[in-house]
Structure formats: C-alpha cells, structure tokens
Amino acid sequence: MKAGIVGLPNVGKSTLFNCLSNAKAQSANFPFCTIEPNIGVVNVPDPRLEKLESLVNPERVLPATVEIVDIAGLVKGASKGEGLGNQFLGNIRETDAILHVLRCFDNDNIIHVDGNVNPIRDKETIDMELQLKDLETVDKKLDKVKRAAKTGNKEAQKEEAVLLKLKAGLEAGISVRALEFSDEDLEEFVNPAQLITGKPVLYVCNVDEESAVSGNAYVDLVKDAVKDENAEVIVLAVGTEADINELDDYEERQMFLSDIGLEEPGSAKLIRSAYKLLNQQTYFTAGVKEVRAWTINVGSTAPQAAGVIHTDFEKGFIRAEVIGYEDYVEYGSESKVKEAGKMRVEGKAYVVKDGDVMHFLFNV
C-alpha cells in the first residue's frame, strides 16, 4: 500500500519527502530506506510499541511501515501530457492514497508557478487535471458498455447508469470521492475503474513556522473548501521540520519543537495519518526475541492477520490467543494477564482490533 505526495511545483513536496527520509526528527531508531529514487519505506511512529518494548525488553523491535512516493510536480495541461503529465498520472494511478501538499505560506524568495500564493486555486488546478484524466477513462468505458446495454444486458445497463453518474459529476468538477454510490455499485463498478479522484486524500497545508501550531488564513480557506470531501487537513511547517532534522542532538530537537509549541514533529502525525488513510491498522506480537507491529487492513479476521506473518499460519489456523493492549499494559506481562483471566481465545471469525497483542496456534 502506497501513499503518493502530489502538488504543484515549489509547494514543498520534495522537502517533505526528505523530512520523512531523515530519521533524526522522530526517534533514534526510526529507519528509512529507498526502494527507488522516489519511493521511501517509513516506519510508523507508535508509542504503544515503545511501551511494549519497555515491558518485554526484547532482542529487537520492528515497527509497522508505510510506503511514501514522491511524485513529480503537476502543471496545467498534465491530462494532455504537458510537463511530466503522463509520467505524473501514471505514478499517481499506482498509489492507494494521495497526500496533496498545498502552499500556505508567503515567501518572496520562493517563486510560485502561478505568480502568487492561492492554495484554493492550486487545489483546483490539480483537481481539474485529475478529473479530466478520470473523465477520459470513464468515456472509454462508456463506449464499450453502451453497446452491451443496448442489447438488453442488465449488468451492462447497471454499469452504464453508474458511469453516466460518474461522467456528470466529473464534468461538473466534482471528484469521484465526493460522489455518493451504494456499497454494491462501489464494489462492482466504481472501485474496479481505479479512478484517480476516487482515491482517499489527505491535504497537507505547508505553512511558515509561526503558523505551525494553529494554522493561518490560508489553512482556514482550505478547510472550508474541502469540508464536503470527507478529507483530513494537516498543518505542517515543512521548512521548519527540515531545520529540526539538521540538529544532531535529540534533546536539542525536542527543545526546538517545544519552543514552537509542538509535542512531536508534524511529520510523525502525517505518517500516522497516511497509515490510517490507507485503511491500515496494527496488531502486535510480543516475546523476548522480538516485539513487532504487523500491518493489516481494517476489518481483517484472525486468520488473515496470521497470514501476514506466514501463509501457513492462515492455511492451518486453529485459534488465536489475544490480549488487549490496555490489559497488557495494566498487568505488565503476558503471564500476569493470564493469571488475571484477561487473555481471550478467539476463532476464525474474530475481527482483529487495533492494538491487539496476538499469538497464533496453527497446524499445517
């Protein structure tokens, strides 16, 4: 699962990506690796993992990760191949969620491609290009489906109705994620189309240092503009975070954060939000050899969660021993949880909760 950073040129995308690539701002053991020049695997900051580490004292700790993709800046006309348009649209189609960076700061030394700072205009520029590309996709599908619908094919007629609704919305400048469909239509027709504006989005307002805590007038405009999109808005002083990353001493970095009114780097919050945006959650395994956070989709059953460790665990699943995170912390160890009768035994139908500490029994 990958989240792609998008935005116009010079809004802070690459600086943000580089912030995420620098481990120092988050913690001493917050690694980052590069798969390709523009893809990073970033650990998800999770205080629960640190707490389990302190209780179990394992040989190693492995956090959950999320993939972040730095995508080239989009310009007007990208849907027609302008700039790096085709490459941009190909890259963004391969991601599962969008981190849309909007410039919400004034600085005469950083040129804006459109001459002045206006995050709403910037958002609309990118929205329009993505909507045009989606419209192209929908029109191609409609051409095929209409022929089948004319023959009386009921399934084709249902798909045609959905595609016509998508077309009308996109032509009106409405992104797919803001259109309402039944669960059945979403599953059968909308999701398989892999439309770019149907992907979940998180708006990242890149502000100056003074606005890092409370935002500013630009941020207020963005929040108002996206209120109907069911999208989160995060305020991040990307340039300031880059400065913090330059400090080698952990205490100095914490003092810098405290001075501007932040408890933790904004990038840590961003990573957690991207993880959530991708519909991911975490369960833990905890033993003296290893304490580890495992990533699963929200709604995964116990056998599916076991399969993340190894496919044999899912195939031969017998049962899961489950401890709620809060119970583990309250009693301090697995043995004490068992003594208190707080360990549960769950079967194949159990839906894993975020933070569960689990042990699987299987037989292959």
Side-chain angles (χ1 to χ4, degrees):
M1 300 289 280
K2 293 186 288 194
I5 301 175
V6 306
L8 292 176
N10 293 346
V11 296
K13 297 186 310 303
S14 293
T15 307
L16 173 60
F17 184 78
N18 291 338
C19 275
L20 301 180
S21 74
N22 190 323
K24 292 186 294 185
Q26 283 75 31
S27 68
N29 61 346
F30 195 90
F32 171 100
C33 66
T34 302
I35 301 172
E36 294 174 15
N38 65 335
I39 301 179
V41 179
V42 185
N43 285 357
V44 179
D46 193 332
R48 297 174 302 180
L49 194 65
E50 294 169 22
K51 183 64 179 177
L52 288 172
E53 179 185 8
S54 70
L55 293 172
V56 179
N57 195 25
E59 292 177 16
R60 64 174 184 166
V61 179
L62 291 171
T65 61
V66 62
E67 280 191 31
I68 306 290
V69 187
D70 185 19
I71 296 172
L74 177 146
V75 294
K76 285 179 183 174
S79 58
K80 304 296 181 189
E82 291 292 328
L84 293 170
N86 293 329
Q87 179 186 326
F88 172 98
L89 294 161
N91 288 342
I92 198 171
R93 201 180 292 282
E94 291 170 9
T95 65
D96 303 285
I98 296 170
L99 308 178
H100 188 157
V101 182
L102 294 165
R103 177 171 167 176
C104 294
F105 66 89
D106 293 306
N107 186 333
D108 293 338
N109 295 321
I110 302 174
I111 297 166
H112 190 289
V113 289
D114 288 326
N116 65 323
V117 177
N118 185 333
I120 306 308
R121 178 198 57 214
D122 296 355
K123 174 190 175 302
E124 289 171 352
T125 296
I126 288 196
D127 282 351
M128 184 178 68
E129 294 302 331
L130 300 184
Q131 288 161 4
L132 286 169
K133 200 64 184 176
D134 278 349
L135 189 57
E136 189 181 299
T137 302
V138 169
D139 281 337
K140 283 178 183 175
K141 277 186 163 294
L142 258 175
D143 286 344
K144 293 177 183 176
V145 171
K146 277 181 176 176
R147 289 192 290 271
K150 282 178 182 175
T151 66
N153 184 312
K154 298 292 184 189
E155 197 67 12
Q157 288 171 349
K158 282 169 65 179
E159 185 173 4
E160 181 184 25
V162 171
L163 289 171
L164 286 170
K165 183 176 176 178
L166 285 167
K167 180 179 171 69
L170 289 164
E171 285 178 339
I174 302 170
S175 292
V176 173
R177 74 181 73 88
L179 298 171
E180 290 188 11
F181 292 95
S182 68
D183 290 343
E184 183 185 345
D185 285 346
L186 277 171
E187 192 174 328
E188 283 191 45
F189 307 120
V190 180
N191 294 342
Q194 293 186 304
L195 298 169
I196 300 171
T197 64
K199 297 178 189 293
V201 65
L202 170 69
Y203 291 99
V204 183
C205 292
N206 183 11
V207 299
D208 52 26
E209 185 176 313
E210 290 72 27
S211 308
V213 176
S214 305
N216 55 29
Y218 291 132
V219 174
D220 293 339
L221 288 171
V222 172
K223 287 180 176 177
D224 186 60
V226 307
K227 63 181 185 294
D228 297 327
E229 286 192 38
N230 192 29
E232 186 182 355
V233 177
I234 277 187
V235 176
L236 197 66
V238 176
T240 303
E241 301 252 341
D243 292 340
I244 294 171
N245 279 356
E246 294 300 315
L247 299 173
D248 291 320
D249 182 73
Y250 178 77
E251 295 301 325
E252 281 186 31
R253 294 195 297 276
Q254 293 307 110
M255 284 176 61
F256 196 141
L257 285 167
S258 179
D259 286 346
I260 60 175
L262 295 175
E263 292 180 6
E264 65 173 353
S267 50
K269 183 182 178 185
L270 172 62
I271 294 164
R272 285 197 297 271
S273 296
Y275 191 68
K276 183 180 173 185
L277 192 67
L278 291 164
N279 201 38
Q280 306 279 273
Q281 68 179 32
T282 301
Y283 77 87
F284 302 101
T285 52
V288 290
K289 288 281 185 188
E290 173 183 282
V291 167
R292 182 164 182 165
W294 298 89
T295 299
I296 55 172
N297 290 326
V298 173
S300 292
T301 60
Q304 289 170 331
V308 173
I309 298 176
H310 197 288
T311 53
D312 284 351
F313 281 33
E314 183 171 4
K315 289 175 189 172
F317 179 90
I318 299 171
R319 63 182 181 274
E321 295 175 344
V322 184
I323 302 171
Y325 171 76
E326 297 297 338
D327 287 334
Y328 203 110
V329 172
E330 182 179 343
Y331 293 98
S333 71
E334 185 176 315
S335 59
K336 288 181 180 175
V337 170
K338 284 181 179 177
E339 287 172 18
K342 292 292 186 178
M343 177 183 280
R344 309 189 310 274
V345 175
E346 302 286 1
K348 292 183 178 180
Y350 177 68
V351 177
V352 179
K353 295 180 176 64
D354 187 52
D356 278 349
V357 182
M358 306 185 76
H359 176 67
F360 299 104
L361 285 82
F362 70 102
N363 181 31
V364 177

